[in-house]
Every structure is written in structure tokens, then in C-alpha cells.
Amino acid sequence: DSDPPPQWPRVGPSDPRIDPHLDLEIEEQRRVLGMIDRLDDLSPFEMLGIWPTHDLKRVRRAYHDASRTLHPDAYYGDEIGPFRAYLAQLFRRATQAHEALRDPELRTPYVDAELARKAELRRRDDQLSEQQRERERVLREQEEAEAAVRRHERAVTRARRQRARLGAAVKAQIAAHVQEASDAEAKGNMARAANLYRLALQLHPGDGELDALWTRCRREARRKRAAEAFSRAMSLRDYGQGHEAVPLLVEAADADPQVVEHLVWAAEAIAAKDPVKGHRFALAALDGLRSEAVADKGTKRRPPDLHRLHILLAKAFVALGQKHTARELLGAIDTGQGKPADPEVRALLNSIKLP
């Protein structure tokens, strides 16, 4: 028989069960997995990798050849993972196939079918001209193309359904985030609400309403955090723990730089240690005080409070080396005739030596 032996089935090279780290060649893994997947469909002859025949010597030789590659002991000491169990299963089936084919009653139907197949092939070869074979080839390609179109249409339909399911899942997740954020807002937990609105916005970028909710809650959370940090800092200063209050004052100024008090106290606290940040806080505080002074309606501060803010900010500018600005601030709060009435202002002015 000059026909090449039938090919054992193989899975595709991208099958997720293939493990390149095992001591079993990739092609062998493909063959083993292909046979396992079609184990219930393989005939005894296919199991041994030969065409149907009554030649028991060929059957026995095929069994021995298959045993060398299917017996788990052929990989003794090798790391082949789950393939050891697969090989054991295939070897048992190969042994069963060999035993079964020794029975002529079981063997004969396969051999007869094979003889009929070869006879039919010869008959077709004799009848078909080159032109007929070409027509068949064209027809076959057309059928394959049509089948490919149908497969593509099915794939598009599946993808559309998957997108629809995904869209519904995303909408449900957004709704869940928004509901949790609303509950967090009701409980006053603005930080959690902002984070949940941010998660919802990530699922639906560009949503103006979600962006507005996130921005508002984030702003409120920062204001709340700033107010709490400032309050703790003032309490620490009241207890004589001014050093521990400094990082809290900086946190309050960074979190909510719209509040002049936060900027002033933070600038005075860190001007000497961190001139860059202290200068930024001091200038922002100065702009805030000037804006309040010229606004038609703004923060109505009590004179003693405003007085204190000017003194603190002047100290910050002195520490930053901006003595002219410090004098302007002090002059704005105490311009009495002669010497300033406030001893702290008087002492601060005396410490400023201008050329």
C-alpha cells in the first residue's frame, strides 16, 4: 500500500492547554490533545494510525509503534504534567484497539469500507478530466468562501450580542456606583462619594453629569478634610504642640486654598523651613485678603481676626525676606499716630530693618 498513513488529529498551536515549559514537545502535546478530544470518534485503526487492513503483522507493528509514543513510561523522569494521565488513557485505548482488531468480524467492516473508499477514488480519478477537477476545485473554493462568510456573520452577531451584554453590565455597574455615592453623600462621607463617582465616570468617560457630581463631591471632600485638619492644628497649638500642628496646617492649605485663614497660618508656619511653598501660600493669602477688601460683598471679618491675619502674614513675609510687603501689611492694620498701639506689631516693625 503506497498511501501515506492517516494523520492523527491535532489541536491548534494556540490551544490554551499547551504548556511550552513541559518536557514534551509542542507537536506531541498537540497530537495527544487532539486524540483526547476525539477519543470517542476514533476507530481502532485510526487509534493505531494505519489504514484498515487484514494484515495482522501490520496491525501488531502499528501497535508497537504507537506504544513507543503513547506509553507514559516512555517519558519516565520527565515533567509532563497532566499529559501523563492523557498518555495513560490513550495507551489503554490503543491496547484495546489492538486486541479488538484481532477479531476478523470486527476488522472486516473497516477493511471493506476502506477498499470501497479506494475503489471510489480510483473510479473518480479515471472519470474526471483535468477540466472537471478544476471545476470541482473552483466549486469547493466557492463553498469554502460561502462558509467563511457565514462564519463571519455568526461571529459578528455573537460580538454584537456580547457588546449588548457588556453594555448592560456597565450600565448596571454605573448605576450601582451612583447609588452608593448618593448614600455616602447622605451620610456626609464626601470622600467616598467622590471616589464612587470617579469609578462611575471611568466606566462612562465624558459624561457631563457624572463629571459634575465627581467634581462637586471632590471639592466638598477637600473642604471638609481641610477644615478638619485646620481644626486639629488649632487645637494642637492651643495645647502648646505647635510643631505637630505644622503638617496639618499645610494639609489644610493644600486641600482648600480658597480659605484665606488656611493659607495665612500655613505660610507663617513653614516660611522659614520651606520658602518655596511658604512663598506660594503667602502670595495666595495676600491676593485673597486684597480681593476681600475690594469686593462689594465678601467675607465680613471681625477687626481683631483681620488684625491677627495681617500680623501672621507679615511674619511669613519677614521670614521670606520680603520686608517691604511685611511693612505694608502692618501699616494697613495699625497706622496710629506715633508708635503702633499693638506691642506685637511694634516689635515686629522694630525687627524689620530697611535700607
Side-chain angles (χ1 to χ4, degrees):
D1 193 347
S2 60
D3 286 351
Q7 293 293 316
W8 275 309
R10 282 174 168 77
V11 298
S14 60
D15 192 290
R17 295 169 294 178
I18 294 176
D19 188 351
H21 302 293
L22 297 179
D23 294 333
L24 194 63
E25 295 292 337
I26 297 298
E27 286 302 310
E28 193 63 13
Q29 292 186 41
R30 292 178 59 195
R31 182 173 72 90
V32 170
L33 291 172
M35 293 180 70
I36 285 292
D37 289 348
R38 290 193 52 200
L39 195 55
D40 293 334
D41 300 326
L42 294 176
S43 70
F45 283 102
E46 289 174 327
M47 192 69 213
L48 298 180
I50 60 174
W51 296 110
T53 178
H54 283 302
D55 188 346
L56 294 182
K57 289 183 179 181
R58 292 187 62 187
V59 172
R60 185 163 53 252
R61 188 164 58 250
Y63 170 63
H64 290 319
D65 292 341
S67 298
R68 282 197 294 271
T69 58
L70 297 180
H71 200 294
D73 289 346
Y75 304 94
Y76 179 80
D78 292 337
E79 175 55 44
I80 60 175
F83 286 85
R84 191 171 299 279
Y86 294 156
L87 288 169
Q89 186 177 1
L90 292 177
F91 178 71
R92 286 194 298 271
R93 289 297 296 272
T95 302
Q96 293 170 1
H98 175 244
E99 292 296 326
L101 291 177
R102 295 170 64 182
D103 183 352
E105 292 186 3
L106 178 62
R107 199 169 59 243
T108 297
Y110 292 108
V111 175
D112 291 345
E114 174 62 10
L115 294 175
R117 182 185 73 83
K118 290 183 177 180
E120 177 64 13
L121 289 176
R122 285 192 297 270
R123 185 185 67 81
R124 290 183 180 180
D125 286 341
D126 292 338
Q127 290 181 351
L128 291 177
S129 64
E130 185 63 30
Q131 185 178 7
Q132 288 173 319
R133 284 195 290 271
E134 180 63 18
R135 284 200 297 269
E136 284 199 353
R137 185 188 66 78
V138 173
L139 180 60
R140 186 166 57 251
E141 290 180 354
Q142 182 180 351
E143 291 174 348
E144 291 174 354
E146 292 173 353
V149 170
R150 290 193 294 272
R151 288 195 298 271
H152 175 71
E153 292 175 348
R154 289 195 295 269
V156 170
T157 300
R158 285 196 300 271
R160 187 181 299 114
R161 291 173 179 170
Q162 289 173 353
R163 285 196 298 271
R165 288 195 296 268
L166 181 60
V170 169
K171 289 180 181 179
Q173 188 62 60
I174 291 173
H177 286 325
V178 170
Q179 183 58 53
E180 290 184 51
S182 179
D183 294 342
E185 277 194 79
K187 296 176 182 178
N189 192 343
M190 305 306 291
R192 174 170 171 75
N195 187 54
L196 288 164
Y197 281 131
R198 179 182 60 81
L199 292 175
L201 188 60
Q202 287 177 346
L203 293 173
H204 192 190
D207 187 294
E209 184 177 356
L210 288 175
D211 186 68
L213 290 169
W214 172 58
T215 301
R216 177 178 58 79
C217 287
R218 183 180 57 170
R219 183 173 57 249
E220 291 300 322
R222 291 172 68 89
R223 286 177 178 173
K224 184 176 180 181
R225 179 162 62 88
E228 291 173 350
F230 188 77
S231 177
R232 291 199 303 273
M234 292 296 101
S235 297
L236 289 172
R237 289 178 63 91
D238 291 342
Y239 285 105
Q241 296 176 311
H243 181 73
E244 290 79 358
V246 172
L248 291 171
L249 292 172
V250 173
E251 180 183 351
D254 280 329
D256 191 4
Q258 302 302 314
V259 179
V260 172
E261 285 85 346
H262 296 172
L263 296 168
V264 170
W265 282 92
E268 190 274 336
I270 68 165
K273 298 179 181 179
D274 189 346
V276 174
K277 183 171 284 190
H279 188 259
R280 177 163 60 84
F281 287 158
L283 288 180
L286 183 60
D287 288 341
L289 288 173
R290 287 172 176 173
S291 297
E292 290 179 4
V294 300
D296 292 336
K297 55 178 181 178
T299 302
K300 300 299 182 181
R301 302 185 186 277
R302 296 170 53 247
D305 296 336
L306 187 60
H307 183 94
R308 186 61 183 161
L309 291 178
H310 277 249
I311 291 175
L312 290 170
L313 191 54
K315 288 182 177 181
F317 279 113
V318 168
L320 294 168
Q322 296 185 238
K323 297 180 180 180
H324 285 287
T325 305
R327 286 186 67 90
E328 290 178 7
L329 282 165
L330 295 174
I333 61 172
D334 203 327
T335 57
Q337 296 179 356
K339 297 182 178 180
D342 189 321
E344 185 176 10
V345 174
R346 190 165 55 251
L348 190 56
L349 285 170
N350 290 335
S351 69
I352 301 174
K353 303 298 184 182
L354 293 176

